[in-house]
Amino acid sequence: MATTLVPEGLNFELPEDLKLLKRSIREFVEKELWPLSDHLEEHDEIPKAAIDKMKDMGLFGLPFSEDYGGAGIGELGYCVALEELGRANSAFSNLIGAHCSIGVMALYLDGSKDLKSKYMERLCAGEKLGCFALSEPNAGSDAANIQTSARREGDMFLLNGVKHFITSGDIADYATVFAVTDKALGARGGITAFWVDLNQPGVKRGPKDRKMGLYGSHTCELIFQDAKVPADHVIGQIGTGFITAMKTLDMGRLSLGAGCVGGSQILLEKAIVHAKERVQFGKPIARQQAVQFMIADIATKIFAARNMVYHGAWKADRGERFSIEAAMVKRYCSDMAIWVVDRVLQIHGGMGFMKETGIERAYRDARILAIYEGTNEIQRMIIAEELLK
Ligand SMILES: Cc1cc2nc3c(=O)[nH]c(=O)nc-3n(C[C@H](O)[C@H](O)[C@H](O)COP(=O)(O)OP(=O)(O)OC[C@H]3O[C@@H](n4cnc5c(N)ncnc54)[C@H](O)[C@@H]3O)c2cc1C
């Protein structure tokens, strides 16, 4: 007998266009990106030909509206895409994430119509690359304490200060830069977001940071010495920069969670194959309950994480507030991804420690997830603050 218990509007099935998108990105990842894993590890760079193919796939415009040449698939569609991209080496999702999720997202969310008309199309096509510059050597978790300053001179602002750990800072053409315009007002009213051309004499790029993982994705310092920003390149209003930063990071945290889901899913698939093939004590290790329980727990956490991401993205697309969901997604999915890779490595035994399985790379790459886009301690603070206010 047909059930009538499903409330109207509650539907966990992805729409057909997103199913198609999911399939096409999965195929792209398997055909074009998987074969590059060793290259990324050895050379610490994504080959230009691969970036060109990512452009052709429209990956640089995924979350943005078709008016600007984007894919027009909303945050849910973007998360579905990032979940699939997360099945590849993390450098690829980092490149897209730094550009779409945060770098260009701030411009998209709060930039003036003129500013967006001028820049968005080439950014969506991947002809120009964006990045997000908030963190400073003395202001990481305490982002409200940034020191980079912006001083108005005529129809220009002059930026001075240092941003650090900026993903794609070495190759980006533009950055959303957060700077102090009125020290006395602090974060609420004293910080402004600027859309900054990085290819100008007032901007220096530091050397690539030497990192634990994420080879192929680089971070570096951006040093501003009287860097010029036209006054009409303010994103939002003077003094609303901190709100723009937080709004942008909310979006970024959902798609970061999506990448965690995809990265964990591929590891689960590897663990299942290995557990069925590896024979010890005369039978596949998959027949050992201890291994079965690890696999069951991994799958359960991925299931929970995926639903959290989709729910957060659904709220974002409905225009509802989703800051608490974004913080929960970021906290849960990143911890989940770090835990999953540890368990999958365990299921692989000594082979998991060897480079050829790719699991030790995923283990190194996962660790940053609990740190960037706001550490997981900061996410807990956001969640608690919202609940206890
Ligand atoms: C690979 C990589 C890529 C990055 N990409 C970017 C980028 O593109 N753009 C950008 O702007 N930034 C970027 N960052 C910076 C990143 O967002 C910061 O590293 C992060 O926000 C943490 O800041 P911090 O490193 O200064 O740590 P700190 O703020 O010094 O924190 C150190 C520890 O103290 C804890 N802590 C701090 N304050 C509190 C508190 N009040 N309560 C409880 N615990 C607390 C933290 O949770 C953490 O465990 C990147 C960093 C890395 C490593």
Side-chain angles (χ1 to χ4, degrees):
M1 204 172 72
T3 176
T4 54
L5 292 179
V6 179
E8 206 183 324
L10 190 65
N11 181 357
F12 288 102
E13 177 130 26
L14 284 179
E16 280 308 316
D17 58 335
L18 295 193
K19 283 188 195 165
L20 191 67
L21 174 81
K22 195 174 166 67
R23 267 202 306 277
S24 66
I25 296 190
R26 180 167 298 199
E27 280 165 20
F28 177 74
V29 163
E30 291 178 4
K31 185 163 169 265
E32 305 290 349
L33 305 187
W34 275 359
L36 297 173
S37 259
D38 285 347
H39 177 95
L40 262 57
E41 281 295 291
E42 281 160 29
H43 301 280
D44 191 18
E45 58 145 39
I46 302 179
K48 187 180 170 304
I51 295 180
D52 288 344
K53 285 177 187 162
M54 291 169 79
K55 289 179 193 172
D56 293 344
M57 276 294 286
L59 299 186
F60 289 86
L62 279 169
F64 307 119
S65 88
E66 286 163 308
D67 300 345
Y68 300 112
I73 51 174
E75 188 64 11
L76 178 62
Y78 181 52
C79 285
V80 167
L82 265 268
E83 181 183 338
E84 289 306 318
L85 204 55
R87 293 170 65 90
N89 185 305
S90 308
F92 299 111
S93 47
N94 250 40
L95 176 68
I96 297 302
H99 173 84
C100 289
S101 312
I102 49 178
V104 180
M105 186 59 78
L107 174 68
Y108 182 67
L109 291 177
D110 282 347
S112 69
K113 215 166 168 242
D114 285 352
L115 209 50
K116 287 195 271 194
S117 302
K118 187 163 181 194
Y119 292 105
M120 283 296 298
E121 218 162 292
R122 277 180 300 162
L123 291 160
C124 286
E127 285 166 25
K128 296 288 174 190
L129 192 70
C131 67
F132 181 87
L134 175 63
S135 303
E136 298 180 2
N138 291 316
S141 300
D142 188 9
N145 191 35
I146 55 168
Q147 304 298 315
T148 296
S149 65
R151 187 179 80 249
R152 182 143 191 177
E153 279 205 2
D155 55 0
M156 287 280 168
F157 280 89
L158 298 181
L159 257 58
N160 283 283
V162 177
K163 298 290 177 181
H164 82 158
F165 297 159
I166 306 306
T167 301
S168 301
D170 57 329
I171 50 171
D173 301 284
Y174 298 97
T176 296
V177 180
F178 298 88
V180 177
T181 37
D182 188 338
K183 207 170 172 153
L185 292 177
R188 311 279 164 197
I191 292 177
T192 301
F194 297 90
W195 184 247
V196 181
D197 181 354
L198 297 179
N199 297 313
Q200 59 161 301
V203 179
K204 304 257 173 311
R205 304 173 199 241
K208 277 190 301 185
D209 297 319
R210 296 175 64 223
K211 307 192 276 22
M212 171 179 177
L214 284 185
Y215 294 137
S217 167
H218 308 146
T219 60
C220 71
E221 277 189 348
L222 292 177
I223 303 136
F224 302 97
Q225 290 166 327
D226 282 341
K228 290 193 172 71
V229 189
D232 61 2
H233 281 47
V234 165
I235 297 176
Q237 307 299 318
I238 303 285
T240 60
F242 199 70
I243 298 169
T244 296
M246 295 304 115
K247 259 180 13 191
T248 305
L249 287 168
D250 280 350
M251 300 294 268
R253 285 166 186 157
L254 295 178
S255 45
L256 184 149
C260 294
V261 171
S264 299
Q265 179 67 40
I266 182 82
L267 287 166
L268 169 64
E269 290 163 19
K270 283 187 183 196
I272 290 172
V273 168
H274 182 78
K276 284 179 169 172
E277 281 175 4
R278 177 69 174 163
V279 173
Q280 288 293 279
F281 298 98
K283 57 185 180 188
I285 58 168
R287 302 258 299 275
Q288 304 290 354
Q289 201 177 50
V291 174
Q292 291 172 358
F293 279 14
M294 278 196 266
I295 287 174
D297 286 347
I298 292 168
T300 307
K301 281 178 194 268
I302 294 173
F303 175 62
R306 181 178 291 113
N307 279 295
M308 287 175 82
V309 170
Y310 286 10
H311 186 110
W314 171 81
K315 266 193 115 168
D317 283 339
R318 284 164 63 97
E320 293 177 23
R321 246 196 117 223
F322 62 97
S323 295
I324 191 167
E325 285 86 358
M328 288 175 174
V329 162
K330 200 279 171 176
R331 208 292 293 156
Y332 183 81
C333 295
S334 58
D335 280 342
M336 182 269 310
I338 292 167
W339 181 86
V340 164
V341 71
D342 179 74
R343 294 295 82 197
V344 169
L345 198 152
Q346 190 69 15
I347 291 170
H348 280 75
M351 278 313 291
F353 202 67
M354 299 297 142
K355 294 239 175 241
E356 65 211 71
T357 58
I359 295 167
E360 65 83 36
R361 173 188 57 73
Y363 187 89
R364 285 184 281 111
D365 287 354
R367 190 58 187 85
I368 186 60
L369 294 164
I371 297 171
Y372 63 11
E373 297 206 20
T375 68
N376 285 4
E377 290 73 35
I378 296 303
Q379 304 313 310
R380 287 183 176 88
M381 281 167 56
I382 295 170
I383 297 163
E385 231 168 70
E386 181 92 14
L387 293 173
L388 298 170
K389 74 183 174 194

